[in-house]
């Protein structure tokens, strides 16, 4: 009797419908599966409020004839349809011709800045792989331009580029005698060189940091084996370093391109509200078209065109780089 009682109790528990454990576990599994999405919900809401909602509003503004007369209540501005886009891409008209010039200047500036940032950052990172006294201090000094606030750094360069008492003219003209007379760096054609210098100065430490982190994943045994085979430093960089850094460089170049192409703070602090024609980057040009001429409809259309261009370039770049990874041996 006593031996069969537990068996009977177990049979009763198994046969009772409320004793099944499956349905009781299901709500817990649902809660655990939904917990990551619940934790991401605040970030998604903030992303929606900070980025997506202004993008939608900007797209709507680009379809309106929004000028200073409708700033108080921009919803009452008359619809313009695609007229703002037609004005922006009409390269025979003054507005379209100015936008095309700004686009070409921005393309040249971005390619030069990204190329120089990557080149200097990669060279500095490779040089810092060797152990020597003071390497840690030198690494910290290299990161100073990237750590400084943009406004403080660019304002310092503004004083250095001054015509009469700037440090650049003092060194180039007074000390080294490389120029016949002090140059104007913040106006005219030299403004492009000044803008490029500041952009590279504050951008290459980021490339240095990313490449230096990528170099930590390359085994030292590869370099030692290549040295035993008689490979020099340039051959090691070509055959080992650059192929190993390909995934890192693909992301780095894309990030640098997007940051540089959309850079507004550097030219605005360097030149003010009206940038010289030689340094008329698209972000500043859109700002002038919106807040200086008070034509927010045309400025919004230019912003949408800029967004579409960057989306196309990013998509093409990702497709090409993914194909390169698949075909790589």
């Amino acid at each position: 009797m006593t031996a069969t009682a537990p068996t009977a109790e177990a049979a009763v528990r198994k046969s009772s419908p409320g004793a099944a454990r499956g349905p009781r576990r299901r709500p817990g599994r649902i809660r655990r599966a939904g917990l990551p999405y619940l934790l991401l919900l605040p970030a998604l809401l903030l992303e929606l409020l900070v980025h997506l909602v202004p993008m939608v509003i900007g797209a709507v503004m680009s379809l309106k004839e929004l000028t200073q007369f409708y700033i108080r209540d921009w919803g009452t501005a008359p619809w313009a349809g695609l007229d703002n886009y037609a004005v922006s891409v009409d390269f025979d008209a003054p507005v379209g011709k100015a936008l095309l010039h700004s686009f070409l200047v921005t393309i040249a500036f971005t390619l030069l800045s990204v190329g120089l940032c990557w080149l200097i950052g990669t060279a500095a990172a490779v040089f810092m792989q060797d152990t020597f006294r003071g390497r840690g201090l030198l690494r910290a000094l290299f990161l100073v331009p990237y750590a400084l606030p943009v406004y403080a750094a660019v304002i310092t360069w503004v004083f250095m580029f001054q015509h009469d008492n700037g440090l650049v003219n003092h060194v180039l003209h007074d000390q080294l005698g490389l120029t016949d007379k002090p140059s104007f760096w913040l106006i005219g054609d030299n403004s492009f060189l000044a803008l490029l210098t500041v952009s590279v100065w504050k951008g290459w430490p980021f490339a240095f940091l990313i490449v230096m982190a990528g170099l930590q994943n390359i085994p030292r045994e590869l370099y030692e084996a290549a040295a035993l085979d008689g490979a020099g430093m340039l051959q090691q960089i070509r055959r080992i370093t650059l192929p190993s850094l390909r995934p890192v460089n693909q992301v780095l170049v894309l990030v640098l391109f997007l940051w540089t192409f959309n850079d507004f703070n550097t030219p605005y602090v360097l030149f003010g509200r009206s940038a010289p024609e030689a340094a008329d980057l698209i972000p500043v040009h859109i700002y002038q078209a919106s807040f200086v001429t008070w034509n927010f409809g045309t400025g919004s259309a230019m912003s949408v065109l800029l967004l579409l261009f960057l989306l196309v370039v990013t998509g093409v770049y990702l497709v090409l780089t993914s194909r390169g990874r698949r075909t790589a041996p």
Side-chain angles (χ1 to χ4, degrees):
M1 294 291 294
T2 58
T4 58
T7 307
E9 260 179 50
V12 170
R13 280 198 299 267
K14 289 181 180 179
S15 61
S16 61
R21 296 183 180 180
R24 291 182 181 178
R25 289 182 177 180
R26 189 172 301 168
R29 291 179 180 177
I30 294 176
R31 285 195 296 270
R32 287 195 298 270
L35 180 61
Y37 300 98
L38 183 62
L39 296 176
L40 289 175
L41 184 60
L44 292 176
L45 292 177
L46 289 176
E47 180 73 18
L48 179 67
L49 293 175
V50 174
H51 289 96
L52 296 183
V53 171
M55 286 171 57
V56 174
I57 294 177
V60 174
M61 290 173 59
S62 68
L63 301 176
K64 286 178 169 288
E65 191 178 342
L66 184 59
T67 60
Q68 68 268 30
F69 303 107
Y70 301 97
I71 294 299
R72 185 179 296 273
D73 188 8
W74 66 273
T76 60
W79 288 95
L82 299 178
D83 292 344
N84 292 324
Y85 294 93
V87 171
S88 300
V89 298
D90 186 6
F91 301 136
D92 294 329
V95 176
K97 187 180 296 185
L99 180 62
L100 178 61
H101 173 267
S102 177
F103 175 76
L104 296 177
V105 170
T106 308
I107 287 291
F109 165 75
T110 303
L111 293 179
L112 289 174
S113 178
V114 172
L116 290 174
C117 287
W118 177 84
L119 182 62
I120 298 174
T122 302
V126 172
F127 173 73
M128 285 295 168
Q129 288 303 105
D130 296 332
T131 304
F132 57 90
R133 181 176 298 180
R135 183 179 65 168
L137 177 61
L138 199 57
R139 284 180 175 178
L141 292 177
F142 282 173
L143 295 177
V144 167
Y146 180 69
L148 284 176
V150 175
Y151 289 93
V154 178
I155 288 175
T156 303
W157 277 100
V158 171
F159 287 106
M160 294 172 61
F161 281 129
Q162 292 298 317
H163 176 264
D164 296 325
N165 53 4
L167 180 62
V168 176
N169 279 334
H170 176 70
V171 173
L172 295 180
H173 177 69
D174 299 336
Q175 298 295 327
L176 301 179
L178 298 179
T179 57
D180 298 334
K181 56 183 179 179
S183 303
F184 289 95
W185 293 102
L186 299 180
I187 59 176
D189 295 337
N190 289 333
S191 59
F192 183 85
L193 295 177
L195 179 61
L196 182 62
T197 301
V198 177
S199 177
V200 173
W201 178 82
K202 72 182 185 64
W204 77 265
F206 176 75
F208 163 73
L209 185 65
I210 299 301
V211 174
M212 186 174 61
L215 289 174
Q216 307 303 317
N217 296 324
I218 303 177
R220 298 298 302 175
E221 291 79 6
L222 295 178
Y223 294 100
E224 295 174 357
L228 292 176
D229 292 338
M233 184 182 66
L234 295 179
Q235 291 180 337
Q236 293 178 17
I237 294 175
R238 180 183 176 186
R239 300 295 184 181
I240 299 176
T241 305
L242 293 181
S244 301
L245 290 176
R246 182 177 299 171
V248 176
N249 284 329
Q250 289 174 352
V251 178
L252 174 62
V253 170
L254 179 60
V255 172
L256 286 176
F257 177 83
L258 295 177
W259 282 0
T260 307
F261 205 95
N262 288 311
D263 189 11
F264 172 81
N265 295 328
T266 301
Y268 184 79
V269 178
L270 196 62
F271 305 114
R273 298 178 63 180
S274 58
E277 186 177 359
D280 185 22
L281 300 185
I282 276 191
V284 179
H285 187 86
I286 294 176
Y287 170 82
Q288 292 174 349
S290 301
F291 295 96
V292 176
T293 63
W294 296 92
N295 197 337
F296 293 95
T298 305
S300 300
M302 293 178 182
S303 299
V304 174
L305 292 174
L306 174 62
L307 174 63
L308 294 177
F309 170 76
L310 292 178
L311 288 176
V312 171
V313 171
T314 303
V316 172
Y317 179 84
L318 293 177
V319 170
L320 294 178
T321 53
S322 62
R323 288 181 179 178
R325 286 196 299 267
R326 288 196 299 265
T327 57

